[in-house]
Amino acid sequence: MGNGVREGRVDFQRQDVELVPSTHLPPEETREKKKVLNSLMSGALAGAVAKTAVAPLDRTKIMFQVSSKRFSAKEAYRLIYRTYLNEGLWSLWRGNSATMVRVIPYAAIQFCAHEEYKQLLGSYYGFQGKALTPFPRFIAGSLAGTTAAMLTYPLDMVRARMAVTPKEMYSNIVHVFIRISREEGLKTLYRGFTPTIIGVIPYAGLSFFTYETLKKLHADHSGKLQPSPPERLLFGACAGLIGQSASYPLDVVRRRMQTAGVTGHTYSSILLTMQEIIREEGLIRGLYKGLSMNWVKGPIAVGISFTTFDLMQILLRKLQHGSNVER
């Protein structure tokens, strides 16, 4: 009888051990939803922080891209200073509200899509749970950027218009949409779409590829699982420098096409726009106008963006893990 009691206790305890995990672990579907939500929130914050930090430089770059004025650091400084004197400090952030309306969904979609594409490609190539090899790493970044650009393009068009026009012309984002639709037609909201998509493939592909590669190399050589925040900033800066340099001429072309309605030009295609820019301003001075400013602005923005995303992901995972433990 004593043996029976002991056996009964053992069975009871074993049953407890088996039941506790099954009632406390969330189902796979819930975990996946939380992961997607975390990526969306982290991406939205990453985009907002990064773009706000460099908004004055971004606006100045666009103003040079859409004009035939020669770019130099001295001229860029003069333009920023004149804008500050004539229109006030906050005018340097003109169009940033439109940028936020665009960049928050854009960054949220891009980062979230990148996580999902990494998972899909990892399953397809047999790297589930491991770092992707170089080619799938590039493809995941390109697909993420393309997905985000396709879903948010009209907002980018509106942001460009607000950046290069006086505040009297467009009072707010909704006003830009209404005037463009009424005066130039709805198709105008997608002017410059093709060079944007062509440009985003190398830009997003190389940016994510470089950042992920540098993190992997760091882990392999340092033995640390995660880089520190300053190291993340440095890796992101390198990613931004490489990605933006590779796609810059197409960035100039899309800005010209987006703002054609208010600059007096008519740009009908990528090749014709490139030909006109080269004929009037030259190859380097035209298609690479403002690139030196992008070498300052781009690495800062991309570095902040990648770092903010990663740190937010880590923070959210810790908070959720803490809340699960408490339950």
Side-chain angles (χ1 to χ4, degrees):
M1 187 170 174
N3 288 341
V5 170
R6 276 196 297 272
E7 284 170 12
R9 281 179 184 164
V10 170
D11 290 343
F12 178 71
Q13 286 170 351
R14 190 182 296 127
Q15 189 180 20
D16 271 355
V17 171
E18 287 169 359
L19 284 173
V20 168
S22 64
T23 54
H24 283 277
L25 277 176
E28 189 64 36
E29 192 178 330
T30 306
R31 283 204 299 270
E32 187 60 32
K33 281 180 182 174
K34 281 185 178 178
K35 184 185 158 203
V36 169
L37 187 60
N38 285 356
S39 295
L40 287 169
M41 287 169 61
S42 303
L45 183 66
V49 172
K51 278 295 184 182
T52 300
V54 297
L57 294 174
D58 208 21
R59 186 188 178 203
T60 304
K61 181 201 78 172
I62 292 172
M63 291 172 82
F64 273 101
Q65 281 182 330
V66 302
S67 75
S68 55
K69 271 196 274 185
R70 185 176 172 183
F71 176 84
S72 68
K74 191 175 179 181
E75 286 301 315
Y77 170 76
R78 280 180 180 168
L79 178 58
I80 292 171
Y81 188 62
R82 276 200 307 271
T83 305
Y84 162 69
L85 288 179
N86 297 335
E87 302 176 45
L89 177 66
W90 294 115
S91 67
L92 296 173
W93 275 265
R94 173 164 167 73
N96 196 50
S97 58
T99 301
M100 289 301 101
V101 171
R102 170 195 167 258
V103 84
I104 287 173
Y106 180 91
I109 293 167
Q110 180 176 239
F111 278 106
C112 182
H114 182 245
E115 294 299 306
E116 295 304 307
Y117 285 130
K118 276 201 303 183
Q119 193 171 315
L120 284 170
L121 289 167
S123 300
Y124 181 79
Y125 284 100
F127 298 110
Q128 195 67 39
K130 300 176 187 175
L132 293 173
T133 50
F135 181 66
R137 208 177 296 157
F138 175 82
I139 294 297
S142 296
L143 288 172
T146 304
T147 302
M150 287 174 71
L151 293 174
T152 61
Y153 184 76
L155 295 168
D156 186 46
M157 169 74 173
V158 168
R159 181 259 181 280
R161 283 291 181 95
M162 287 189 79
V164 301
T165 54
K167 54 187 175 185
E168 297 80 22
M169 187 166 182
Y170 299 118
S171 55
N172 55 48
I173 299 164
V174 177
H175 188 212
V176 184
F177 274 109
I178 292 169
R179 278 197 64 174
I180 289 176
S181 303
R182 188 185 299 153
E183 296 172 12
E184 302 173 54
L186 282 170
K187 278 179 69 178
T188 304
L189 291 172
Y190 285 88
R191 185 182 290 158
F193 179 73
T194 305
T196 298
I197 295 301
I198 295 171
V200 86
I201 291 169
Y203 169 65
L206 286 170
S207 295
F208 279 106
F209 168 82
T210 304
Y211 185 67
E212 295 283 322
T213 300
L214 289 173
K215 281 206 303 182
K216 186 177 183 302
L217 289 172
H218 174 271
D220 291 344
H221 287 84
S222 70
K224 291 191 277 186
L225 288 175
Q226 296 291 343
S228 65
E231 287 168 335
R232 290 180 196 275
L233 278 169
L234 180 62
F235 298 162
C238 292
L241 189 67
I242 292 169
Q244 294 194 350
S245 298
S247 61
Y248 195 78
L250 286 161
D251 191 43
V252 174
V253 169
R254 79 183 172 107
R255 292 302 185 198
R256 291 292 179 98
M257 293 178 79
Q258 284 175 339
T259 56
V262 292
T263 57
H265 288 83
T266 51
Y267 299 117
S268 57
S269 71
I270 299 171
L271 286 175
L272 289 174
T273 305
M274 281 187 166
Q275 284 173 5
E276 187 168 334
I277 292 170
I278 293 167
R279 187 173 62 249
E280 291 180 0
E281 302 163 53
L283 177 63
I284 303 300
R285 289 179 183 173
L287 291 178
Y288 289 89
K289 180 185 289 183
L291 178 59
S292 56
M293 178 174 283
N294 238 40
W295 284 341
V296 176
K297 176 194 77 72
I300 293 171
V302 178
I304 291 172
S305 181
F306 277 126
T307 303
T308 304
F309 177 79
D310 278 357
L311 295 181
M312 266 298 289
Q313 287 278 82
I314 292 166
L315 176 63
L316 288 170
R317 278 197 293 267
K318 280 183 179 175
L319 289 173
Q320 284 175 0
H321 179 69
S323 119
N324 286 336
V325 168
E326 281 174 18
R327 278 190 239 128

